[in-house]
Each structure stands twice: as structure tokens, then as C-alpha cells.
Amino acid sequence: MAAKTARSKATPTKENGVRVEEGLSLFKSDKFDADAYVQSKCSINEKDIKQLCSYLLDLKRASAEEMRRSVYANYPAFIRTSKEISDLEGELSSIRNLLSTQATLIHGLANGVNVDDDKVSDGSLANGSLNFDENGLSDLEKWATEYPDQLDALLAERRVDEALAAFDEGEILISQANEKHTLSSSVLSSLQYSIAERKQKLADQLAKAACQPSTRGGELRSAIAALKRLGDGPRAHTVLLDAHYQRYQYNMQTLRPSSTSYGGAYTAALSQLVFSAISQASSDSLGIFGKEPAYSSELVTWATKQTEAFSLLVKRHALASSAAAGGLRAAAECAQIALGHCSLLEARGLSLCPVLLKHFKPIVEQALEANLKRIEENTAAMAAADDWVLTYPPAGSRHASTAFQNKLSSSAHRFNLMVQDFFEDVGPLLSMQLGSKALEGLFRVFNSYVDVLIRALPGSIEEEEANFEGFGNKIVQMAETEANQLALLANASLLADELLPRAAMKLAPLDQTSHRTDDLRRPADRQNRNPEQREWKRRLLSTVDKLKDAFCRQHALDLIFTEEGDSHLSADMYISMDGNGDDVDWFPSLIFQELFAKLNRMASLAADMFIGRERFATSLLMRLTETVILWLSGDQSFWDDIEEGPKPLGPLGLRQLYLDMKFVICFASQGRYLSRNLHRGTNEIISKALAAFAATGLDPYSELPEDDWFNEICIDGMERLSGKAKGNNGEVHSPTASVSAQSVSSARSHGSY
């Protein structure tokens, strides 16, 4: 059984090897062309390559940021452990030296070393010095007698370099004496004790002098270098950092922030002080200790601690008050100043900006949210008294003299002005990676403003059913007339399509804004270069679609239903035509006459309101026509009465319904807002009507006149409803008449009529 299993596993492996060998045969051929092979496999075009490059760059930036966060998340623990290991190594070295000294003393005592009375007095070992009688002493013994006093004199006169040289000399002579046994063990031990004691004394003097605020930079470096030569490098490095800390703390005493002082000035002075101290400490550390990991780690830990303390000071004295008051510009400027000084340290290998961002980002976000809230509340207050009449910017405003003058209502002007000011403030937020958050917050505020515009529509469904946020609890002035209601759409479309995206270009990445002055393309083209802003603009326009849908739904319902809830578009208006026996004056039904008149009025109003944005006006009229037709197509009660009602649809009713649909196609084609959805909806209505008539056993096409008959009535109806007169020969004099007739005829030949 095991052998069978082994064979079953080996067979696919062998087959895979054969397939791999076959796949590699192409590359073994002498005629293999690498360029042609790669070209055959790469089917992406230049646009796809650019998108791929952009995606890879984004991925690279995200990876670098993730790595930086990971390093900083674990770095303090690593530094702390390294520092503890370094301290432990220093303590072990000190213990080893002490043990060596003790071992020497014990060894001398164990061998019964005795000092002759004529050479060593009773107090010969007092205070770490030997007192010899000069009679009969060698030069080395005389030196050993005078050496401690010489060291004391050098230390008292603070002759550091000479003291260091004396230490080196003493250690060399002691080493030689120990090898040649020219001095007794007790004398050697006494000398070693004298050197160790005076080294400690000199180290304390140097450390105390280094930490004095009056110590100059050269003196500090000399003191630290001397302390390092004494053999205590970890202490020397710690004293160096502490000296720089003491110095900038002393200089900070002149900085006294007050409630009336300018936060940016305080931040600039403080950051200059702190980061200059960190920079100088880094330079001194590198110059004296080199790139030894233990010292570099201690420097990074110390710099991080100072940066955190600086962050807390700036938050307390500059950022907190600005953020609470919604002063985004002041908060962002303070953060930008600090980040600017901090970024200069990156050339020295100190990346401390993430430390600042950790403390500054939340409080600047608070200022950002407060600023957006202020835009929301101010615009809501203006909307409560807006008369929804479009005007140019008020005279004297900052945007009144610009080249981008646009007609908006008062609340939209206020919204636009505050948004422009908002984007003037958020430029520094790019360095804090808050550009996306600013765009998202502004989208949220714009979405709330669109909700206000929807509530301004009389009888809007959203006013009764939807639970609005932000602006929802504010009083809104109703837009009573069609002109007022179109002004709502003009506000939203202009803000979403032009004004907001143009203002948001200030948040473009720095590598794009640097070339902005040389870019002569239209603003819309420049916006399309930034995928994030392009997607943001798409979301703004989709929000405008909510308003457009509410507008079209309201006007469609006003056409279809009476105030009492009865329908102007019922099946009975077609079914009853075959029962009254009266001659029929063929003309489009009243509801479609009203639809045509409403669309004409709106088209006339939109021509003045949507200058330069005719496509939006056309899409609005298209959407309104589609809403009416799609409602009729989907009204199940209407078709139940047509198809299964007690009285079937007769020839006259069929002709009238057919004429109404022809009329819709005709005026939509003339107004250039005949869409696929509208064409599909009218086809579906006609198909249902023909099927319902055919179910009675009659041929529907035998009851319908030729297309020319319908076209003539439709064109005549449009002329009469538009107030245009016919010529004397009864023909229609209209430049679009022939076009409309051809369009209707084409619609039938290509449709399902």
C-alpha cells in the first residue's frame, strides 16, 4: 500500500518535470528573441504602465511608512536594553579592576612582605601616599614618593591635559615596575590606589564643569574628551547629553509664553532652541565617540525624550488654545514650524518627525474638525434666510475681483468663501498626512449642504423620511418657484464640478505643485492628474445626483398626481376614448403637454443659470423626462387596468397612447435630451400597449396610421404649445421640423413599435 502511494505521488512529479522541460524548450532555441517574447507577453499600454508605476510608488511609500512605524514601535525597548548592557559592562570592568587591586594586596600580605622601619614609617600608607626616607632610595622610589603630590597639584590647578599625561606616565611606570619587580607590591598597590582615587576626583571635576551653562562649546568638548580618556566612556557620553540639556533649559528661561503672545513665534523660538541643542549634541557625540552603536542608541533615546518634552510644551502653550477655538491656520502653522526644524535633523540620521506627529496630529485634527464644523454652522445659518436667487460675489469680497466669478445664492457664496479660506489654511497639513482627512471632512460638510438643498424643495420626500445629519435640524428657506429650485441645482453643480475641486488643488502632492506654475492646462485637466482628487470629485458629483433625483421626482409627482392624490395619468383616460362616440381632436394628452411646457420653461431658465455647464442642464431635463416615462412603464396598477381590466383598450386609446409616446420622443429629440433609458422606456410602454390590444384578437398595426401622421401631429403640437404660428399653406415653418420628423420615424423603425 505504501509503495502504491509512493508511485502515485511520483507520477505527477514526473509529469510536471516533463511539462517544465517542454516550457523551457522555447528558451533553448537558437532563434529565441527575448525582446519579442517580452513584447508578446506584455499587452498593457502606456496608460496602464503609468498607473502601475503610480501604484508601485504608492506601495513603496506605504511600505516605508510601515517600516518606520514598526521601528519606532520597538525602538525604545531596544535602546533601553542596549543602555542597560552598556552600563553593566562598565560596572563589570570596575569590579574587575577592584578585584585585581584587592588580589594584589592580599598576595603581598600572604607572602609576608614587610617594609623596613628605616624606609617606611608608621604613616607611610596614610591617604594613599608613601612616606620614604630619602636616604638610600632609588630614583624610582623617589618618584613613587613624589607622584601623588604631583597629581594633587595638577588637579588643584585644573591642568587637565598635564594630569592626563601624568596618569598615563604613572600607569606605564607601574606596569614596568610590576614586570621588573623594581617596586614592592605594597608600593605598587598604593600607587594604583592613588591613581584611581585622583582619576575619580578629576572625573567629578570635569562632569561638574561640563554641566555649567557658562561652559562654552569648545570647553565642553574638551572636558568630555578628557572624561573619555579617563576610561569611563558611558559616563562621558551621558554627561555630554546632560550638559546640552542643562544649557538649553537655562536658555529656555527667557521664553515666557502668555495668552496674548503669538503661538507661532513661541513655537519658532522654542523649536530653534531645542533642535539646535539636539543637532549640536549629535555633532559632539559623533566627533568624540564616533558611530559606536551604544552611544548612537543613547543619543537617539535622549533626542526622542527631548522631542517629546518639546511637543508637550508646544501643545500646552500654543496648539491647545488654537485647536479649541477652531484656529486651523494657527495650529497648522505651529506644527509646520516645528516639523520644519525637526526635519533638518534627518541629515544627521535622526528621524524625529514621527515623534512630533504622534503628539501634534490629534490636536491639529481637532482644529480641522472645529473648522469644518464652523463652515457647516455658518452655511446653515445663511441657508435659513437664503432667497435662492443667483448673484455674483458681493462687492468687496476677496473673490469678487478674481477671474472665476460665478453666480450663486447667498448661502452657496458663503460656503464657497469659507472653503477657499479653509484650503488656504490646510496646505501645511500635507506634511502631517492630513490631506486625505481634510478632503473627507469637506466632502462630509458638502454632503450636508446638499441635504439642506434637498430640504429646500417644497414637499420633498427627504424632508419627511430621511434622517439628516449636520444641517438636518436647521430651518431652511423653501425654494417656491422653478427658478428657485433650479438655483439649488446650480449651487450644488457649480460647487462640486468646479469651485471645490479647484480649491482642493492646493492639497496636491508637493511633486505636482512644484510644476504648477509651468502648467498651462485647464484646471480640470490638472485635477485629473491626482487620482485621489479625481475620486473625490466623482463623489461630490454623485452627491449632487441625490439633489437631481429629488428634484426630478418631485416635479414628476407634481405632474402625475393632483393635490388630492388623484392621478393625471390613469388607464381610464385611454380606455374611455372608445366609449364616448365623439370625434377625437388628435393632440397629445394634457399631462404630456404640461411636461413639454415645463421642460421648455426649465430649459429657458437653465440657459441663464448654467452658462458653460450646458451638459448638466441637458442631463437634468433628460432625467426629468425619464422619471415620468419610467414611472408610467413601472406603474403596475396602470397596466393591470390596461391588460386585465373590465374594459379592454380600444383602437382610439391605443392610437392616443402611441401618439403620446411619439410626442415624448419628438420633443426629447428636438431638445437634445433623448437618452437610451428614455428610448427604452417608451419602447416598453408601446410594446405593452400593442400586446394588450392584440390580446383582444385585433391587429394593432391595422389600427395605427402611418408614421407621417403621428409626426405631423407631434410637430404641430410642439409649435402650438410653444406659441409658434404655421404658414398659410398649413406647413410648419420650423428649422427643426424636418429633423424632428426624421428622428421620430427613425425611432419607430429601430424600436419595437
Side-chain angles (χ1 to χ4, degrees):
M1 186 66 178
K4 182 177 180 181
T5 304
R7 287 195 301 272
S8 65
K9 291 183 179 180
T11 301
T13 304
K14 183 177 181 181
E15 292 176 355
N16 291 337
V18 172
R19 286 197 295 270
V20 171
E21 185 69 25
E22 292 176 353
L24 294 176
S25 62
L26 174 65
F27 301 99
K28 297 179 180 179
S29 173
D30 295 337
K31 299 180 180 179
F32 174 70
D33 187 350
D35 293 336
Y37 178 79
V38 172
Q39 189 65 30
S40 66
K41 297 298 182 181
C42 297
S43 60
I44 60 176
N45 53 29
E46 183 180 358
K47 180 180 178 182
D48 295 332
I49 293 175
K50 289 182 178 179
Q51 290 179 348
L52 180 59
C53 291
S54 177
Y55 170 74
L56 291 176
L57 288 175
D58 292 341
L59 200 61
K60 179 181 178 182
R61 285 192 292 268
S63 176
E65 181 62 26
E66 180 63 26
M67 183 179 68
R68 173 175 289 186
R69 281 198 299 264
S70 177
V71 169
Y72 271 91
N74 302 295
Y75 202 65
F78 171 75
I79 297 301
R80 187 171 58 252
T81 303
S82 300
K83 182 70 167 55
E84 291 173 354
I85 292 173
S86 178
D87 293 342
L88 185 59
E89 289 177 346
E91 292 175 0
L92 289 174
S93 178
S94 299
I95 292 173
R96 185 163 54 248
N97 292 335
L98 291 174
L99 289 175
S100 177
T101 303
Q102 294 295 328
T104 301
L105 291 172
I106 294 172
H107 179 72
L109 294 173
N111 291 334
V113 176
N114 297 314
V115 181
D116 295 336
D117 293 339
D118 58 346
K119 292 184 179 181
V120 182
S121 64
D122 294 339
S124 61
L125 296 178
N127 298 322
S129 64
L130 293 174
N131 299 323
F132 293 92
D133 289 335
E134 294 185 1
N135 297 327
L137 295 181
S138 66
D139 292 338
L140 183 59
E141 290 174 335
K142 290 180 181 180
W143 171 85
T145 304
E146 297 171 353
Y147 181 67
D149 295 333
Q150 180 186 358
L151 291 180
D152 290 337
L154 293 175
L155 294 181
E157 296 173 7
R158 298 187 182 277
R159 295 155 61 183
V160 177
D161 292 336
E162 295 180 36
L164 292 173
F167 286 135
D168 294 339
E169 179 188 4
E171 289 175 346
I172 292 173
L173 291 175
I174 290 174
S175 176
Q176 293 175 352
N178 190 33
E179 291 177 359
K180 298 177 181 180
H181 303 287
T182 55
L183 290 176
S184 63
S185 299
S186 59
V187 174
L188 290 175
S189 299
S190 180
L191 286 174
Q192 289 174 341
Y193 179 77
S194 298
I195 291 175
E197 181 184 26
R198 286 156 179 81
K199 273 189 175 183
Q200 184 63 43
K201 183 178 180 180
L202 178 58
D204 293 341
Q205 288 180 356
L206 292 172
K208 184 177 180 181
C211 293
Q212 293 297 321
S214 59
T215 304
R216 297 181 179 273
E219 296 172 347
L220 172 64
R221 286 186 288 274
S222 298
I224 298 302
L227 191 57
K228 181 187 177 187
R229 284 182 60 185
L230 289 173
D232 196 356
R235 182 188 181 189
H237 194 263
T238 302
V239 169
L240 171 66
L241 299 180
D242 190 53
H244 281 287
Y245 171 75
Q246 295 294 340
R247 182 180 299 180
Y248 90 73
Q249 285 290 319
Y250 177 79
N251 293 331
M252 276 178 55
Q253 295 176 7
T254 59
L255 294 178
R256 298 295 182 185
S258 65
S259 59
T260 59
S261 63
Y262 171 50
Y266 172 76
T267 303
L270 184 61
S271 61
Q272 174 72 27
L273 202 61
V274 173
F275 294 116
S276 294
I278 294 176
S279 176
Q280 188 60 53
S282 173
S283 179
D284 291 347
S285 174
L286 182 63
I288 299 173
F289 298 91
K291 296 182 178 180
E292 190 172 338
Y295 300 131
S296 299
S297 298
E298 185 181 15
L299 173 65
V300 171
T301 303
W302 178 82
T304 302
K305 181 179 179 181
Q306 306 314 311
T307 305
E308 294 214 1
F310 163 78
S311 302
L312 294 175
L313 284 175
V314 173
K315 281 176 61 177
R316 184 183 308 120
H317 298 299
L319 285 179
S321 57
S322 299
L328 179 60
R329 178 175 299 176
E333 184 178 353
C334 289
Q336 182 69 6
I337 290 171
L339 288 168
H341 283 97
C342 184
S343 62
L344 297 177
L345 296 175
E346 293 185 359
R348 298 184 178 275
L350 293 173
S351 182
L352 299 173
C353 288
V355 179
L356 290 181
L357 287 175
K358 181 179 70 174
H359 292 279
F360 287 174
K361 198 171 181 179
I363 202 161
V364 175
E365 286 180 353
Q366 178 187 349
L368 177 65
E369 291 296 331
N371 205 274
L372 292 169
K373 188 68 175 177
R374 186 171 67 247
I375 295 176
E376 187 173 318
E377 292 175 349
N378 275 266
T379 310
M382 292 295 293
D386 199 333
D387 57 3
W388 308 117
V389 175
L390 302 184
T391 60
Y392 287 109
S397 68
R398 185 162 62 90
H399 300 283
S401 58
T402 64
F404 305 110
Q405 288 198 23
N406 298 281
K407 296 178 72 174
L408 297 167
S409 71
S410 59
S411 64
H413 274 307
R414 181 63 175 169
F415 184 84
N416 180 46
L417 179 62
M418 297 188 72
V419 167
Q420 303 298 325
D421 292 338
F422 171 80
F423 278 112
E424 291 290 340
D425 296 346
V426 297
L429 298 187
L430 283 175
S431 58
M432 285 181 280
Q433 302 170 356
L434 288 176
S436 298
K437 190 172 186 66
L439 289 177
E440 183 62 30
L442 189 61
F443 169 77
R444 187 175 66 251
V445 174
F446 176 74
N447 186 64
S448 296
Y449 181 58
V450 170
D451 287 342
V452 164
L453 300 180
I454 293 175
R455 293 188 61 204
L457 292 170
S460 172
I461 295 178
E462 278 73 14
E463 182 182 7
E464 300 173 357
E465 297 180 357
N467 181 23
F468 292 105
E469 298 179 359
F471 290 112
N473 57 350
K474 304 295 183 181
I475 299 174
V476 181
Q477 183 74 23
M478 288 293 108
E480 301 293 347
T481 66
E482 290 179 352
N484 295 148
Q485 294 162 22
L486 284 173
L488 304 177
L489 288 157
N491 285 340
S493 63
L494 183 58
L495 287 169
D497 194 36
E498 294 185 23
L499 300 181
L500 299 186
R502 185 187 302 147
M505 288 175 62
K506 295 172 184 175
L507 282 179
L510 298 178
D511 57 345
Q512 294 185 11
T513 55
S514 60
H515 302 290
R516 187 177 298 165
T517 55
D518 300 329
D519 196 348
L520 302 178
R521 294 186 292 179
R522 295 177 56 213
D525 296 332
R526 296 198 298 270
Q527 294 160 15
N528 291 334
R529 294 186 303 173
N530 189 331
E532 182 182 11
Q533 293 194 7
R534 184 168 59 247
E535 172 63 18
W536 185 67
K537 179 178 178 180
R538 187 197 64 77
R539 293 176 64 199
L540 293 178
L541 293 175
S542 67
T543 301
V544 178
D545 284 341
K546 291 195 310 180
L547 175 61
K548 188 189 294 184
D549 289 340
F551 175 90
C552 294
R553 183 166 56 249
Q554 176 197 320
H555 283 273
L557 294 177
D558 288 345
L559 284 170
I560 296 171
F561 294 101
T562 65
E563 294 182 358
E564 292 77 17
D566 298 328
S567 176
H568 290 301
L569 189 56
S570 63
D572 186 64
M573 60 185 284
Y574 296 108
I575 294 174
S576 61
M577 291 183 65
D578 290 275
N580 54 25
D582 297 332
D583 292 335
V584 179
D585 182 12
W586 293 106
F587 205 69
S589 299
L590 181 60
I591 184 174
F592 295 104
Q593 296 178 38
E594 293 178 353
L595 175 61
F596 174 73
K598 181 183 286 289
L599 292 171
N600 274 357
R601 289 194 307 272
M602 290 186 177
S604 178
L605 293 170
D608 295 330
M609 294 185 180
F610 298 92
I611 298 175
R613 290 174 291 122
E614 289 77 8
R615 290 183 60 184
F616 181 85
T618 300
S619 68
L620 177 65
L621 300 178
M622 186 185 300
R623 184 78 62 87
L624 177 55
T625 311
E626 290 173 0
T627 302
V628 175
I629 295 302
L630 294 179
W631 186 91
L632 176 59
S633 176
D635 185 6
Q636 192 58 44
S637 61
F638 177 91
W639 293 108
D640 286 345
D641 292 339
I642 291 288
E643 297 168 352
E644 302 174 1
K647 189 175 181 181
L649 179 66
L652 299 182
L654 175 64
R655 184 183 300 185
Q656 181 64 51
L657 183 56
Y658 196 97
L659 174 61
D660 290 340
M661 296 302 102
K662 282 283 192 175
F663 182 61
V664 172
I665 293 292
C666 191
F667 69 66
S669 177
Q670 183 190 52
R672 299 182 184 276
Y673 43 87
L674 177 61
S675 66
R676 292 183 179 180
N677 287 337
L678 180 60
H679 207 290
R680 188 184 303 112
T682 53
N683 281 346
E684 184 177 350
I685 290 171
I686 291 175
S687 297
K688 287 182 178 181
L690 293 175
F693 186 83
T696 62
L698 300 176
D699 180 13
Y701 295 102
S702 64
E703 302 295 335
L704 296 176
E706 295 295 327
D707 279 350
D708 291 342
W709 182 85
F710 289 103
N711 293 339
E712 182 179 353
I713 294 178
C714 290
I715 295 172
D716 178 60
M718 288 191 297
E719 293 291 336
R720 289 166 59 184
L721 293 172
S722 301
K724 298 179 181 178
K726 286 186 178 182
N728 294 331
N729 58 359
E731 295 181 357
V732 177
H733 296 283
S734 171
T736 60
S738 60
V739 177
S740 300
Q742 293 174 5
S743 299
V744 175
S745 178
S746 175
R748 181 174 184 181
S749 63
H750 292 87
S752 57
Y753 312 144

